Amino acid sequence: MLNENIKAIRKSKGLSQEELAIKLHVVRQTISKWEQGLSVPDSDMLISISKEFETPVSTLLGETVVESKVDDLKAISEKLEIINLQLAQRKTARRKLLHWFLISLCIVLVMIFAVLIILSSPYLGWDYKAPETAVMGVAFHALEWLFVRLAPIVFIGAIVGVFLTRKKA
């Protein structure tokens, strides 16, 4: 039992007999004899082995150790592949959402420009003698002034964004 457990844990840790022997300050043949059941390590050496393997001595002495199987690695790689696919799908969905948002932004900007051109600043003909009318007229003028100056920059940025987020063939 001890010999099988030492061998199984050594292999699961990815160590050769030589590497384990160097870490325990013994010769490789000693490790080989332990694994073949021809000899057993003393109590001090069992403690050193358990520390090296980061495994309780009870595991070395009696509990059976299951070697990691290739199937476990295969299952892990399949799970990672699924996660990668999900991340790729999320990235694609976000890109599409951003793409359509930018197209919508371009359409809204063009529509607002069209409305402003059709209305041709009706507040300019208002009677500004009343303070409320004067405040409203100045507010409309300020908003229109800001829009006319900022909208082209936003529009160009949105057009560039549409081209950058389009689906590449």
Side-chain angles (χ1 to χ4, degrees):
M1 184 69 63
L2 175 63
N3 60 332
E4 295 167 2
N5 288 344
I6 291 174
K7 185 175 184 177
I9 295 171
R10 176 183 60 78
K11 285 186 175 183
S12 71
K13 298 283 184 181
L15 295 171
S16 67
Q17 287 182 345
E18 184 69 32
E19 291 169 330
L20 180 59
I22 290 170
K23 290 183 179 203
L24 295 174
H25 307 292
V26 296
V27 293
R28 187 201 57 79
Q29 289 80 3
T30 304
I31 305 294
S32 177
K33 286 181 182 178
W34 291 343
E35 290 182 357
Q36 292 174 16
L38 300 176
S39 69
V40 292
D42 63 11
S43 59
D44 290 335
M45 188 54 72
L46 272 176
I47 293 170
S48 297
I49 295 169
S50 75
K51 285 180 183 175
E52 190 60 45
F53 286 159
E54 298 174 345
T55 306
V57 174
S58 61
T59 302
L60 291 173
L61 291 175
E63 296 176 13
T64 55
V65 177
V66 179
E67 291 185 47
S68 64
K69 299 177 184 174
V70 176
D71 293 338
D72 293 342
L73 295 174
K74 186 176 179 182
I76 291 170
S77 70
E78 288 173 356
K79 288 179 183 178
L80 286 174
E81 187 175 336
I82 290 169
I83 291 170
N84 283 337
L85 286 173
Q86 290 172 341
L87 290 173
Q89 288 172 343
R90 276 192 201 154
K91 184 178 178 182
T92 302
R94 285 185 188 139
R95 184 192 49 76
K96 284 182 182 178
L97 181 66
L98 179 61
H99 182 77
W100 286 107
F101 170 76
L102 292 172
I103 289 174
S104 302
L105 181 62
C106 289
I107 291 170
V108 167
L109 289 174
V110 168
M111 289 173 55
I112 292 173
F113 260 116
V115 167
L116 288 175
I117 289 171
I118 291 170
L119 294 177
S120 67
S121 306
Y123 58 85
L124 295 177
W126 291 354
D127 180 19
Y128 283 92
K129 291 179 184 164
E132 295 86 12
T133 307
V135 169
M136 289 293 286
V138 169
F140 279 129
H141 183 69
L143 288 174
E144 186 179 67
W145 185 86
L146 275 174
F147 182 80
V148 167
R149 275 142 188 85
L150 294 179
I153 297 167
V154 173
F155 185 75
I156 291 169
I159 293 291
V160 169
V162 166
F163 282 104
L164 292 176
T165 59
R166 74 183 187 282
K167 186 176 181 180
K168 293 163 179 87

